[in-house]
Amino acid sequence: MELSKYFQKFFHSSKTSGILLILCVFLSLIIANTSSAEGFQNFLDTKIGTEIFHLNYSLSVWINDGLMAIFFLLVGLEIKRELVEGELSDIKKASLPIFAAIGGMLIPALIFIAFNHSTDYKNGWAIPMATDIAFSLAIISLLGKSVPNSLKIFLSALAIVDDLGAIIVIALFYTDTIDWLSLGVCGGITLLLIILNKLKVTKIIFYLVPGLFLWYFMHHSGIHATIAGVILAFTIPTNVSDTEISPLEKLEEQLHIPVSFFIMPIFALANTNITFQAEVLDHFVSPLSLGIIFGLFAGKVLGINLFSFLAIRFKLGELPAFSAWKEMIGAGFLAGIGFTMSIFVSLLAFPGNIENQDISKISILFASVLSGIVGFIILKTKKKSSLPV
């Protein structure tokens, strides 16, 4: 199976941005455990903005609610493109990654609940559900011809469905109170965006300007502001033409570099600044930590392969070309790299509870590194001779 021009660019950028992400994680950990830690945290707590229109937030909030809305806009664009013209547009091709993604979300959540159903940590049940698309695709890109292209496409489609699941979970389960007036305004803006789409308006600026207002009112509605990015993405016009570039594809291409090489590294730098204090390490074997580690490291590979087996058994899908169950297991471990989305969910699950956030982050890092190493080893040992040249 040949990689499309889009996927070739996608995997190339994922490989480079993944390396940059790793460097930012290490830099953030070094800063947090040196004399610079307090100064860096004070910098993140610096208020930026104006009290007018209630837009005076800390730098951390602007990163997690503002910049990450752009990240979610890109995720939404990728999801829509795949649904309209990509790997998820054909139900026969889409069925296996969809079933695999459902299993890869359900089993980790159940494992976490098994550890934490009677604890104060139970609100973190969605933390191990997520797959970090940048890191997982970066590692599979490093493997080169050790894995077939079909498996790379399967993992990317799985991660995209996984992101959609995480977005739905955030919208439904991590909203405390709702300002119905603001939410109503969001509905009106969304309707306007849909009308623009139906009128075949193709100028992206006519979507981005209402999108800014959508973000503002979504932020004040109580639903996490990043959801505005996804809603906006689904209203951007696209097509199924191979020759004509759609507004969606133009915007997606324009966002890839800033998201991959600025927004995600900044998020990693701001949110993995974990100070390794004794009390945090003491909780490393707590139900919270064990639920995340076993959910990501064991739950992901188990859920993905169990649901894939059932889909294939009932003839609802088939294995990626030139792949066997060994490759599926390797891909399942790579999907256990949670990082960006898992850390993001942990911030929502434990707002203001720095200790629980730090325990979650350490557990996510440990499980992600372990999953990445095991997945890499499994896929690297595949005989290259069995793959198409």
Side-chain angles (χ1 to χ4, degrees):
M1 179 183 290
E2 290 293 325
L3 284 176
S4 67
K5 181 180 178 181
Y6 168 78
F7 270 111
Q8 289 175 355
K9 292 172 64 177
F10 188 52
F11 284 115
H12 177 73
S13 65
S14 295
K15 181 177 178 179
T16 310
S17 64
I19 294 171
L20 179 59
L21 271 177
I22 293 171
L23 293 176
C24 286
V25 170
F26 278 114
L27 178 60
S28 184
L29 291 173
I30 290 170
I31 292 173
N33 290 277
T34 63
S35 58
S36 303
E38 185 177 352
F40 184 60
Q41 188 57 53
N42 290 337
F43 174 67
L44 292 174
D45 292 336
T46 302
K47 294 280 188 173
I48 299 176
T50 174
E51 289 293 347
I52 302 175
F53 304 119
H54 306 288
L55 283 174
N56 188 27
Y57 302 121
S58 69
L59 183 58
S60 290
V61 171
W62 281 113
I63 291 170
N64 295 333
D65 290 15
L67 290 182
M68 287 301 283
I70 302 174
F71 166 79
F72 274 82
L73 170 60
L74 178 59
V75 170
L77 293 172
E78 290 173 345
I79 292 171
K80 181 175 180 179
R81 178 184 44 73
E82 288 300 306
L83 289 171
V84 173
E85 57 179 311
E87 290 300 304
L88 302 177
S89 61
D90 184 330
I91 189 62
K92 188 174 181 180
K93 292 191 293 183
S95 58
L96 188 66
I98 289 174
F99 274 101
I102 291 172
M105 291 184 284
L106 182 61
I107 300 300
L110 291 175
I111 289 175
F112 184 92
I113 291 170
F115 278 101
N116 293 279
H117 64 92
S118 59
T119 72
D120 294 334
Y121 308 129
K122 55 182 177 291
N123 199 43
W125 60 272
I127 295 173
M129 290 176 62
T131 293
D132 189 292
I133 191 168
F135 271 130
S136 58
L137 295 185
I139 291 179
I140 204 168
S141 298
L142 292 172
L143 288 160
K145 292 184 178 180
S146 295
V147 294
N149 289 336
S150 58
L151 192 71
K152 297 176 183 178
I153 294 172
F154 165 78
L155 181 61
S156 65
L158 182 156
I160 288 171
V161 176
D162 190 292
D163 280 345
L164 177 59
I167 290 163
I168 294 171
V169 166
I170 290 169
L172 294 180
F173 298 101
Y174 289 101
T175 299
D176 294 327
T177 58
I178 295 179
D179 181 330
W180 291 102
L181 178 60
S182 295
L183 191 60
V185 175
C186 289
I189 296 172
T190 303
L191 181 61
L192 171 64
L193 289 167
I194 293 172
I195 291 172
L196 290 173
N197 182 293
K198 294 298 182 182
L199 292 175
K200 302 188 184 303
V201 175
T202 57
K203 291 283 187 182
I204 294 176
I205 189 66
F206 289 113
Y207 294 89
L208 295 183
V209 172
L212 289 173
F213 287 95
L214 180 63
W215 177 89
Y216 174 84
F217 285 103
M218 189 68 73
H219 190 274
H220 287 79
S221 73
I223 297 175
H224 203 273
T226 52
I227 302 300
V230 181
I231 294 173
L232 174 61
F234 272 73
T235 64
I236 304 293
T238 189
N239 56 49
V240 294
S241 172
D242 291 330
T243 56
E244 183 184 357
I245 299 177
S246 69
L248 183 146
E249 290 167 324
K250 288 179 182 177
L251 182 58
E252 188 177 6
E253 187 167 346
Q254 290 168 355
L255 287 178
H256 256 297
I257 289 179
V259 168
S260 298
F261 297 98
F262 176 72
I263 292 176
M264 291 183 69
I266 290 294
F267 176 84
L269 196 61
N271 289 288
T272 52
N273 56 325
I274 309 163
T275 302
F276 290 101
Q277 299 174 343
E279 55 267 27
V280 173
L281 297 177
D282 288 343
H283 287 89
F284 195 62
V285 290
S286 68
L288 172 59
S289 184
L290 293 176
I292 293 172
I293 292 171
F294 280 98
L296 283 172
F297 179 69
K300 274 291 183 181
V301 64
L302 178 61
I304 287 169
N305 282 276
L306 174 60
F307 275 59
S308 294
F309 174 79
L310 292 174
I312 293 169
R313 176 69 177 80
F314 291 102
K315 302 188 184 304
L316 298 172
E318 56 187 27
L319 284 173
F322 305 102
S323 299
W325 285 108
K326 178 183 176 182
E327 286 70 54
M328 291 290 287
I329 291 171
F333 275 112
L334 292 187
I337 303 173
F339 196 68
T340 306
M341 195 69 82
S342 290
I343 289 178
F344 188 74
V345 173
S346 72
L347 298 176
L348 300 179
F350 307 115
N353 192 324
I354 303 301
E355 182 177 327
N356 284 355
Q357 288 179 8
D358 282 352
I359 295 169
S360 299
K361 291 174 184 178
I362 293 173
S363 305
I364 291 165
L365 285 173
F366 179 78
S368 297
V369 170
L370 193 59
S371 296
I373 291 173
V374 173
F376 182 90
I377 292 172
I378 290 173
L379 293 174
K380 189 65 177 176
T381 56
K382 179 174 174 59
K383 294 181 179 178
K384 295 183 182 180
S385 60
S386 64
L387 299 179
V389 178

